[in-house]
Amino acid sequence: MRFFECDSTNNILVDGTFRRNISCWQVGQTIGSGSVGTVYEAITNEGFFFAAKEVSLLDEVQSIHQLEQEIAFLREFEHENIVQYIGTDRHEGKLFIFLELVTQGSVVKVYQKYHLGDSQVSSYTRQILNGLKYLHDRNVVHRDIKCANILVHTSGSVKLADFGLAKTKLNEVKSCKGTAFWMAPEVVNRKMHGYGLAADIWSLGCTVLEMLTRQIPYSPLEWMQALFKIGQGIPPPIPDSLSIDARDFIHQCLQVNPENRPTAAQLLKHSFICAEATASFISPRNSFAS
């Protein structure tokens, strides 16, 4: 067990009503890892639990830049479906980012323990879309949407996490960033002229497919084989065993031409997301509102 005293006080907003201060804290068990660094459970001297993401400041410049970018984004975000930033601390060449502790960990851990049906996946997807809409309304592309970067509370509340690859879409993004199996064709294909918010929608389709099948998209291909298929505009196969609404939702997200993909706001009106009463009035072939 490691014990720390903060170089400066970090204020924690609890339930939006009062603040606690982190002056001393302990690192507990490892709970995950992100695109940069390892995440631990931690506890303050007052017994308040939070997540501490540890990153070496001796890493390559690119990793440090990615970390600074993640902190800058998280400081600006305030949304129920985005993990809450608390503060930072430094110790012996390590930087710790303090985040709210999301108790059940990633969706990967959840679907490894439980078989998720349409009702659960629909609820999770609705919350992911709310988080994406918040980002996209601010012209921010997450660029790494996948189950490993989506966290779940015991209450069923879902949070988007790991913003190390996020980018503000002031201009079309051109760098090939993300995780291979969830990348959109326009991200992989260098012949295209950059990409934008729609890349997250493709990744969302792959993520919904992952939740329902409990397998990563393009399984069991190696990542280079998957990239080749993605670059050719070949989406991952969608099993016929999935429901009509689920298949249609995924199909809408996995349009090869990014201009043909619905926005996060449009997908919130899809029959897979809406209540059953609403779904009965929507045709599967035209199941999002423009």
Side-chain angles (χ1 to χ4, degrees):
M1 186 75 70
R2 291 181 287 168
F3 296 81
F4 300 101
E5 290 188 8
C6 285
D7 294 335
S8 59
T9 300
N10 291 276
N11 291 320
I12 306 177
L13 185 63
V14 181
D15 298 329
T17 56
F18 65 94
R19 290 182 179 271
R20 298 175 187 239
N21 296 327
I22 298 180
S23 55
C24 298
W25 57 287
Q26 304 173 38
V27 169
Q29 64 181 354
T30 302
I31 56 176
S33 59
S35 55
V36 176
T38 304
V39 184
Y40 300 91
E41 182 177 278
I43 187 172
T44 71
N45 57 335
E46 294 182 339
F48 180 85
F49 287 90
F50 62 99
K53 184 173 183 177
E54 180 187 61
V55 183
S56 172
L57 294 174
L58 303 178
D59 286 345
E60 60 185 68
V61 175
Q62 179 62 33
S63 296
I64 301 302
H65 173 72
Q66 190 171 321
L67 181 64
E68 292 172 342
Q69 179 174 277
E70 181 173 13
I71 294 171
F73 275 123
L74 286 171
R75 277 179 171 158
E76 296 297 320
F77 297 154
E78 187 174 347
H79 190 273
E80 62 182 353
N81 298 123
I82 293 177
V83 68
Q84 183 184 350
Y85 171 80
I86 295 171
T88 58
D89 195 15
R90 291 172 183 259
H91 281 282
E92 300 178 351
K94 302 282 189 182
L95 177 67
F96 294 89
I97 306 175
F98 298 160
L99 303 165
E100 70 172 305
L101 181 62
V102 186
T103 50
Q104 296 302 300
S106 74
V107 172
V108 173
K109 291 184 177 180
V110 175
Y111 75 59
Q112 285 174 343
K113 292 188 292 184
Y114 303 98
H115 180 82
L116 298 176
D118 274 20
S119 58
Q120 291 126 330
V121 174
S122 173
S123 174
Y124 290 174
T125 304
R126 182 186 304 111
Q127 295 178 73
I128 296 167
L129 283 167
N130 281 327
L132 280 179
K133 183 179 182 302
Y134 177 87
L135 296 178
H136 291 180
D137 285 348
R138 287 154 181 77
N139 278 325
V140 174
V141 192
H142 184 284
R143 297 207 294 173
D144 204 13
I145 294 294
K146 57 183 180 180
C147 286
N149 289 338
I150 299 162
L151 308 178
V152 186
H153 267 306
T154 51
S155 64
S157 174
V158 167
K159 313 274 183 175
L160 301 185
D162 201 340
F163 286 82
L165 298 180
K167 193 83 170 176
T168 302
K169 184 188 162 290
L170 298 176
N171 296 303
E172 292 289 310
V173 183
K174 295 184 178 179
S175 56
C176 184
K177 297 286 186 179
T179 310
F181 298 97
W182 294 264
M183 283 183 181
E186 66 270 22
V187 178
V188 175
N189 195 335
R190 297 298 183 91
K191 295 179 181 179
M192 296 186 178
H193 303 290
Y195 57 93
L197 305 175
D200 282 345
I201 300 300
W202 175 283
S203 299
L204 174 64
C206 292
T207 300
V208 173
L209 182 63
E210 180 187 2
M211 283 192 275
L212 289 169
T213 62
R214 306 169 85 183
Q215 293 182 326
I216 64 172
Y218 298 99
S219 177
L221 298 181
E222 296 293 332
W223 68 273
M224 279 299 293
Q225 294 173 309
L227 283 181
F228 180 73
K229 283 188 174 291
I230 295 167
Q232 287 186 311
I234 302 173
I238 304 171
D240 291 338
S241 58
L242 302 185
S243 69
I244 293 174
D245 282 343
R247 293 203 311 269
D248 185 69
F249 183 93
I250 296 166
H251 174 73
Q252 299 291 353
C253 294
L254 298 182
Q255 295 296 305
V256 175
N257 185 342
E259 295 182 1
N260 292 337
R261 290 174 214 149
T263 64
Q266 289 171 332
L267 285 169
L268 281 165
K269 300 176 183 178
H270 191 283
S271 56
F272 182 66
I273 301 302
C274 295
E276 291 182 7
T278 304
S280 63
F281 293 96
I282 303 176
S283 167
R285 291 187 176 276
N286 187 23
S287 43
F288 62 90
S290 58

